[in-house]
Amino acid sequence: MKKGLVSLCMAVSLFPAVVNAQAFDNYYFGISAGKAELDASTSSIHNDIKSEGFSDITIDDNDTAFKIFGGANINDNLSLEAFYTNLGQYTVNADFTKQNITANTDIRYDIESVGIDLVGSFPLSETFNIFGKIGMQYWYVDSIVDVSSNTSAYYIKHQSDLETGFDPTYGIGIAMNIHQFSVRAEYEVYKIDEEDINMMSVGVAYHF
């Protein structure tokens, strides 16, 4: 969490470098929460593990997720928005059997993302507007592997590995404006290497 907040502050500090700071107006800051789900239809995790000789593969493919975001309007229809998103934890469990060796593997993936979106909005009325967004993110996946086996040669306890990368994000949503507050519902897609994580959330923002 602390790492994500530091990255968010760094992303916000880049705003003046992208667009002249005088072009910004109506800064806002908010938080949202909802559900994130690994898209099983595009995921390569199952096939990758199966190719290594594992069977009885189960994937816990959804978790609670939350996002902290802040942005500023460039004009009435465009804004830049920085974000930190905790996409939750995903677990893969599989069995391995070969000759006299049996093993059970448990892999947990903790996924976080920080980035900047360009947001385009269109008013439906004085209260409601719809919006779409596209951007780039820096993601990090902390994977922890546990292997229990009938032989100590295949026993692993809390082996950790960190992967990082840059990939696009995009999404759509609708917002309701109430004085200096806005309540938003949105659907977002986070590309994490070869995987897609879909997030649906509801949030609130305060506009300065």
Side-chain angles (χ1 to χ4, degrees):
M1 174 71 174
K2 182 178 179 181
K3 176 172 58 177
L5 290 176
V6 171
S7 299
L8 176 62
C9 291
M10 292 176 62
V12 171
S13 70
L14 293 176
F15 275 5
V18 179
V19 178
N20 188 307
Q22 294 180 351
F24 288 121
D25 192 14
N26 297 329
Y27 292 85
Y28 61 91
F29 181 81
I31 187 168
S32 59
K35 179 182 177 181
E37 183 173 6
L38 180 69
D39 190 345
S41 65
T42 62
S43 176
S44 61
I45 293 177
H46 188 281
N47 290 335
D48 289 345
I49 294 176
K50 188 175 181 180
S51 67
E52 296 296 328
F54 289 90
S55 60
D56 295 328
I57 303 167
T58 59
I59 302 176
D60 182 4
D61 60 1
N62 63 83
D63 199 5
T64 300
F66 69 90
K67 177 175 67 171
I68 301 170
F69 58 91
N73 296 339
I74 301 173
N75 56 41
D76 290 341
N77 300 106
L78 288 176
S79 62
L80 278 179
E81 184 173 293
F83 63 86
Y84 161 73
T85 306
N86 187 309
L87 290 164
Q89 183 180 93
Y90 305 85
T91 304
V92 178
N93 186 273
D95 294 326
F96 178 85
T97 302
K98 186 176 183 179
Q99 297 177 348
N100 295 325
I101 299 172
T102 60
N104 177 265
T105 300
D106 187 75
I107 309 172
R108 297 184 300 281
Y109 300 95
D110 291 302
I111 306 177
E112 298 174 74
S113 168
V114 61
I116 295 179
D117 285 328
L118 179 65
V119 183
S121 62
F122 180 80
L124 298 177
S125 66
E126 291 185 0
T127 304
F128 291 94
N129 65 280
I130 57 173
F131 61 88
K133 58 172 63 175
I134 187 169
M136 285 295 297
Q137 59 164 332
Y138 173 74
W139 52 263
Y140 27 100
V141 178
D142 187 13
S143 58
I144 301 175
V145 179
D146 287 293
V147 179
S148 57
S149 174
N150 63 344
T151 172
S152 60
Y154 285 86
Y155 180 82
I156 299 175
K157 185 69 173 178
H158 294 318
Q159 178 176 303
S160 180
D161 183 47
L162 181 66
E163 295 182 67
T164 62
F166 287 93
D167 277 300
T169 64
Y170 55 91
I172 57 173
I174 185 169
M176 179 175 65
N177 305 307
I178 308 171
H179 301 297
Q180 287 184 271
F181 291 90
S182 64
V183 178
R184 58 162 69 175
E186 57 186 316
Y187 170 81
E188 299 170 282
V189 178
Y190 293 78
K191 305 287 291 186
I192 309 293
D193 199 12
E194 297 179 351
E195 312 299 331
D196 287 351
I197 295 182
N198 306 321
M199 178 176 172
M200 297 186 67
S201 65
V202 176
V204 61
Y206 178 79
H207 297 257
F208 297 92

